[in-house]
C-alpha cells in the first residue's frame, strides 16, 4: 500500500514538473533563477556537479584558505608591473586612483622572504647556492664559451623551465617590487570600456585556438552567431575546449569579484565597497546576456575543479619534511605549514576530482604537439597581462595567470607522479616561492568567487 502511494505521488510530482517546464501555469521566474537556472547539476567534460562543489568550498575549504592567505608567506608577492607591453604601443595609463598599486616599503616585508635564496627547502637552497656560484663564475670568467654561459644562465633560471606555462617575471629586475596583496585587494576600479575590452578580446580572438571567421557571442563583432560558435566549440578536442573554458572561467571570476566589491559610495570621508546586483545581473543574467552568463559561471566551476585537482596532485611536494613556508619566524612558519597541510588533505579528500588523464592522451606524437601548443598559447596570454592598462588589474591578472599556469605545470608534469606513495615524494619537482604564492592566491580568488555566488544567489532571491 505504502509503496503505491509513494509511486503515485512521485508520478503526480513528475507530471507537475514537466508541466511547469512547458508554459501553462508558470510560476514567475525570479532574478535568482535567471542567473543560476542552468548552473546546477553536472558540469560538461567532468563528472562533478555544482552542488557538491558549493558545499565543499563554502563550508570546509574557504574559511581555512582565507586564514592561510592572510599569513606573511602568502600575502607578499613580488611582481614587475613596469614591463612594457610586447604586442602594441600601450599609451593608456590608467590615471584612476583606484587602479594604483602601493608597493611595500623595504622594511615591511620579512627578511626571510626577501633573502635572495629564500630557504623553502634545504635541497632547493643548496641548488640555488650552486647556481649562484656558477652564475658568478659565468659572469666573471669571459673565457667560458658562449654556449656554456648560455647553459649556465638557463640552468640558473630553472631546472625545469620546460614544464612552465608562464613567462616568468624577471623578479631580479630592479623594477620588481613586493606588493602586499591584503592592502591591494582585487575590486572594482572603473577599468572597463574599450581598453579592458581590447585585452579580453585579444586573448579570446588570437589565443584560444579560434579561427577568425568564428565570432564569439556578444563580442561587438558578432551578430547572432552563437550557434556557429558553440558548434565550433563542441567540435574541438577536449583540450582546446578546456583552454577556452579556463580563460572564460577566469574572466567570470574576475567579474564576480568586481560586482561583489563594487564602489557603491564615495564621500570625502570614506569609500563604501559592496555587492552591486545590477552589475552582477548585467554580466550573468541568462536573459540579459542571451544565455552567456550561466555558461560563464559553469566555466568558473570548471576552473575551480582544475586548480583543485592540481593542488591535490602536488601534496607530496609540500609534505616533504624539509619544505618550509619560510619567513624567518620558526614557530609561526611551522604553524602555517600545518594549516597548509590540513587544507591540502581536505582537498585530497574531495570525492569528485577532475581526471586530467583524459588530456593529452592518445597518439604520443600528436599529444605532445598539442601539449606544446597549449603551453605556447598560455605563455602568450601571460605576456598579454603586461598590456593591461590598470595597475591593480595588471597585478591580479598576472598573479592569477601565473597561478593557473602553475596549476597546469603540476597537472601535466611528468616529474610529479600522483597517487604513488611507494615512490615517495618527488625530489625532481620544484616550485618557486612565487609559484607557490600565486598558486594559492589564484585558487583563493576562485574559491572566493564560488562563495560570492552564494551571496548573490541570496541577494537575488529577495528581488523579483
Ligand atoms: C551598480 O552598477 C550599475 C552598472 O551596472 C550602475 O549603473 C549603478 O550605479 C551601480 N549602483 C551603485 C549603487 O553604485
Ligand atoms: C600571441 O599573441 C599575439 C597578440 O595577441 C598574437 O598576435 C600572436 O599571434 C600570438 N601568438 C601565439 C603563438 O599565440
Amino acid at each position: 500500500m505504502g509503496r503505491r502511494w509513494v509511486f503515485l505521488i512521485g508520478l503526480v510530482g513528475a507530471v507537475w514538473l514537466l508541466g511547469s517546464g512547458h508554459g501553462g501555469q508558470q510560476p514567475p521566474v525570479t532574478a535568482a533563477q535567471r542567473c543560476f537556472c542552468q548552473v546546477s547539476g553536472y558540469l560538461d567534460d567532468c563528472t562533478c556537479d555544482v552542488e557538491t562543489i558549493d558545499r565543499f568550498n563554502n563550508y570546509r575549504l574557504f574559511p581555512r584558505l582565507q586564514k592561510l592567505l592572510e599569513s606573511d608567506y602568502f600575502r607578499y608577492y613580488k611582481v614587475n608591473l613596469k614591463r612594457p607591453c610586447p604586442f602594441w604601443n600601450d599609451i593608456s595609463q590608467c590615471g584612476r586612483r583606484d587602479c594604483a598599486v602601493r608597493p611595500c616599503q623595504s622594511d615591511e616585508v620579512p627578511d626571510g622572504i626577501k633573502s635572495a635564496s629564500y630557504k623553502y627547502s634545504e635541497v632547493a637552497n643548496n641548488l640555488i647556492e650552486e647556481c649562484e656560484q656558477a652564475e658568478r663564475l659565468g659572469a666573471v670568467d669571459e673565457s667560458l664559451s658562449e654556449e656554456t654561459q648560455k647553459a649556465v644562465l638557463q640552468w640558473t633560471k630553472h631546472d625545469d623551465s620546460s614544464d612552465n606555462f608562464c613567462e616568468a617575471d624577471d623578479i631580479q629586475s630592479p623594477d620588481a617590487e613586493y606588493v602586499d596583496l591584503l592592502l591591494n585587494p582585487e575590486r572594482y576600479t572603473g577599468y572597463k570600456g574599450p581598453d579592458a575590452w581590447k585585452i579580453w578580446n585579444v586573448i579570446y580572438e588570437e589565443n584560444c585556438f579560434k579561427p577568425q571567421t568564428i565570432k564569439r557571442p556578444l563580442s561587438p563583432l558578432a551578430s547572432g552567431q552563437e550557434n556557429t560558435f558553440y558548434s565550433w566549440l563542441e567540435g574541438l578536442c577536449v583540450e582546446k575546449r578546456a583552454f577556452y573554458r579556463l580563460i572564460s572561467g577566469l574572466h567570470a571570476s574576475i567579474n564576480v569579484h568586481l560586482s561583489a566589491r563594487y564602489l557603491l559610495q564615495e564621500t570625502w570621508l570614506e569609500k563604501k565597497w559592496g555587492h552591486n546586483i545590477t552589475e552582477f545581473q548585467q554580466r550573468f543574467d541568462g536573459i540579459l546576456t542571451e544565455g552567456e552568463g550561466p555558461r560563464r559561471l559553469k566555466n568558473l566551476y570548471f576552473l575551480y575543479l582544475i586548480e583543485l585537482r592540481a593542488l591535490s596532485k602536488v601534496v607530496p611536494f609540500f609534505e616533504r619534511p624539509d619544505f618550509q613556508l619560510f619567513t624567518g619566524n620558526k614557530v609561526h612558519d611551522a604553524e602555517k605549514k600545518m594549516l597548509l597541510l590540513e587544507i591540502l588533505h581536505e582537498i585530497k579528500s574531495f570525492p569528485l576530482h577532475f581526471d586530467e588523464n583524459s588530456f593529452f592522451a592518445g597518439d604520443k606524437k600528436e599529444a605532445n604537439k598539442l601539449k606544446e601548443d597549449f603551453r605556447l598559447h598560455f605563455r602568450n596570454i601571460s605576456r598579454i597581462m603586461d598590456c593591461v592598462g590598470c595597475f591593480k588589474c595588471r597585478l591580479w591578472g598576472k598573479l592569477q595567470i601565473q597561478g593557473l599556469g602553475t596549476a597546469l605545470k603540476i597537472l601535466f608534469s611528468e616529474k610529479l607522479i600522483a597517487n604513488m606513495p611507494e615512490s615517495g615524494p618527488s625530489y625532481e619537482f620544484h616550485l618557486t616561492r612565487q609559484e607557490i604564492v600565486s598558486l594559492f592566491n589564484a585558487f583563493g580568488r576562485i574559491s572566493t568567487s564560488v562563495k560570492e555566488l552564494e551571496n548573490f544567489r541570496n541577494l537575488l532571491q529577495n528581488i523579483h
Side-chain angles (χ1 to χ4, degrees), residues 192 262-265 276-280 282:
K192 53 183 181 181
Y262 198 93
L263 180 56
L264 295 176
Q265 222 177 30
N276 182 329
I277 300 173
T278 315
E279 178 81 12
F280 183 83
Q282 279 182 6

Side-chain angles (χ1 to χ4, degrees), residues 49-90:
D49 61 287
V50 165
E51 292 75 12
T52 306
I53 299 177
D54 281 343
R55 274 194 306 273
F56 174 76
N57 179 69
N58 297 357
Y59 300 101
R60 301 176 65 160
L61 210 54
F62 174 77
R64 282 185 253 183
L65 192 58
Q66 287 310 301
K67 214 171 126 202
L68 182 73
L69 295 179
E70 284 167 12
S71 69
D72 278 357
Y73 186 89
F74 287 102
R75 69 190 285 185
Y76 297 112
Y77 178 62
K78 198 170 187 187
V79 62
N80 183 353
L81 295 175
K82 296 182 190 147
R83 272 160 61 122
C85 168
F87 297 115
W88 58 82
N89 251 342
D90 132 62

Side-chain angles (χ1 to χ4, degrees), residues 208-224:
C208 284
F209 299 98
K210 198 179 68 56
Q212 279 200 331
T213 48
I214 306 241
K215 300 291 177 226
R216 233 172 1 113
L218 297 193
S219 99
L221 305 172
S223 53

Side-chain angles (χ1 to χ4, degrees), residues 87-88 202-203 206-207 373 376-378 380-381 383-384:
F87 297 115
W88 58 82
V202 159
I203 290 178
E206 291 170 37
N207 297 284
D373 251 21
L376 284 179
H377 275 68
F378 197 83
N380 210 17
I381 291 180
R383 296 164 74 205
I384 293 176

Side-chain angles (χ1 to χ4, degrees), residues 229-294:
F229 179 80
Y230 284 104
S231 56
W232 164 75
L233 196 64
E234 285 312 306
L236 282 182
C237 62
V238 63
E239 294 83 358
K240 290 184 183 175
R241 187 162 58 240
F243 192 95
Y244 169 81
R245 297 185 65 196
L246 290 176
I247 299 300
S248 164
L250 184 62
H251 194 178
S253 174
I254 290 173
N255 283 335
V256 169
H257 271 92
L258 305 189
S259 315
R261 312 265 184 284
Y262 198 93
L263 180 56
L264 295 176
Q265 222 177 30
E266 185 170 14
T267 65
W268 60 276
L269 262 180
E270 59 161 8
K271 286 183 177 181
K272 210 173 139 235
W273 309 83
H275 296 87
N276 182 329
I277 300 173
T278 315
E279 178 81 12
F280 183 83
Q281 284 178 303
Q282 279 182 6
R283 295 178 188 275
F284 299 109
D285 182 289
I287 293 175
L288 295 180
T289 62
E290 297 171 28
E292 278 301 291

Side-chain angles (χ1 to χ4, degrees), residues 334-363:
E335 269 172 30
K336 292 302 169 219
K337 180 169 175 184
M338 257 169 57
L339 177 60
L340 175 80
L341 291 181
E342 203 184 295
I343 290 172
L344 287 172
H345 290 146
E346 184 78 56
I347 288 176
K348 221 173 165 180
S349 76
F350 181 73
L352 297 169
H353 271 300
F354 183 79
D355 178 14
E356 78 279 7
N357 291 322
S358 55
F359 279 14
F360 308 119
D363 180 63

